[in-house]
């Protein structure tokens, strides 16, 4: 039971961080800082895909409801990340001799695997997010640049959060 309390606490902290980022950090109109996919990414691989999708939907819907934005946009994108998370992590674990270095519960990650996981999950998050958010408003080049900028910035922020806070929290 204590293990689930850690995840509930992490859920609340990540949700508060996301709401603070949405409300007070507007660096550039193209950039959207999204930390909520971290909750979906950090759930252990043993959790069923349906539960991961439900957690992603709940944290996304709460973010949409508590901040300015299109209701359901974060929920849809986090649900997609939750649906594909196990498909991404299973091959990473299957062909790795050091699978204990990719254990979500221990907080020990190999740098390359973590960056690849974050990149793929944020790619899954931002492609539909950007397309649904601004599909008819601008050209294709602008949308591609916006996707790339968001993925690079959010992977860097998530990597720092994982290394500084989450690794200590889950150990």
């Amino acid at each position: 039971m204590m293990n689930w309390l850690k995840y509930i606490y992490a859920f609340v902290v990540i949700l508060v961080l996301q709401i603070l980022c949405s409300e007070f950090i507007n660096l550039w109109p193209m950039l959207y800082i999204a930390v909520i996919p971290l909750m979906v990414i950090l759930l252990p691989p043993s959790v069923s895909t349906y539960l991961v999708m439900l957690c992603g939907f709940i944290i996304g819907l709460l973010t949409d409801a508590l901040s300015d934005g299109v209701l359901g946009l974060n929920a849809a994108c986090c649900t997609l990340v939750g649906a594909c998370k196990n498909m991404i992590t299973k091959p990473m674990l299957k062909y790795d001799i050091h699978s204990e270095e990719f254990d979500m519960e221990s907080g020990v990650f190999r740098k390359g695997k973590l960056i690849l996981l974050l990149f793929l999950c944020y790619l899954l998050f931002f492609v539909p997010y950007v397309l649904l958010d601004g599909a008819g408003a601008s050209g294709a080049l602008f949308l591609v640049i916006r996707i790339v900028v968001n993925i690079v910035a959010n992977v860097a922020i998530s990597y720092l959060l994982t290394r500084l806070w989450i690794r200590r929290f889950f150990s």
Side-chain angles (χ1 to χ4, degrees):
M1 185 64 185
M2 291 302 288
N3 200 18
W4 283 104
L5 289 176
K6 283 184 180 182
Y7 286 105
I8 292 171
Y9 175 72
F11 184 91
V12 170
V13 168
I14 288 174
L15 181 64
V16 168
L17 276 173
Q18 181 62 52
I19 292 169
L20 289 174
C21 288
S22 296
E23 295 297 322
F24 298 113
I25 301 178
N26 292 324
L27 302 173
W28 192 24
M30 284 179 62
L31 181 64
Y32 176 68
I33 297 174
V35 292
I36 54 174
L38 267 180
M39 188 62 223
V40 176
I41 295 168
L42 293 175
L43 288 172
S46 60
V47 176
S48 75
T49 302
Y50 299 114
L51 189 57
V52 174
M53 289 172 61
L54 181 65
C55 288
F57 178 76
I58 290 171
I59 197 166
L61 195 60
L62 284 172
T63 300
D64 289 333
L66 297 174
S67 64
D68 297 345
V70 178
L71 190 62
L73 187 58
N74 283 309
C77 297
C78 277
T79 304
L80 178 64
V81 172
C84 297
K85 180 199 170 244
N86 285 338
M87 289 188 302
I88 294 170
T89 57
K90 297 265 184 195
M92 288 179 160
L93 293 172
K94 184 178 180 183
Y95 296 110
D96 191 8
I97 16 179
H98 304 289
S99 61
E100 70 275 355
E101 294 180 3
F102 195 67
D103 185 15
M104 296 295 179
E105 292 187 35
S106 69
V108 178
F109 306 102
R110 277 194 10 221
K111 182 179 177 181
K113 292 267 183 169
L114 179 61
I115 291 174
L116 179 63
L117 176 66
L118 290 172
F119 173 78
L120 292 173
C121 287
Y122 275 105
L123 180 69
L124 280 171
F125 182 84
F126 276 112
V127 168
Y129 186 93
V130 170
L131 291 177
L132 291 172
D133 190 38
S138 54
L141 181 63
F142 179 77
L143 293 176
V144 169
I145 291 171
R146 187 172 172 203
I147 289 170
V148 169
V149 165
N150 279 304
I151 290 171
V152 169
N154 281 288
V155 165
I157 291 168
S158 296
Y159 180 77
L160 288 174
L161 276 174
T162 303
R163 287 294 184 181
L164 296 175
W165 173 67
I166 295 170
R167 182 174 59 165
R168 291 189 185 114
F169 176 73
F170 283 108
S171 56

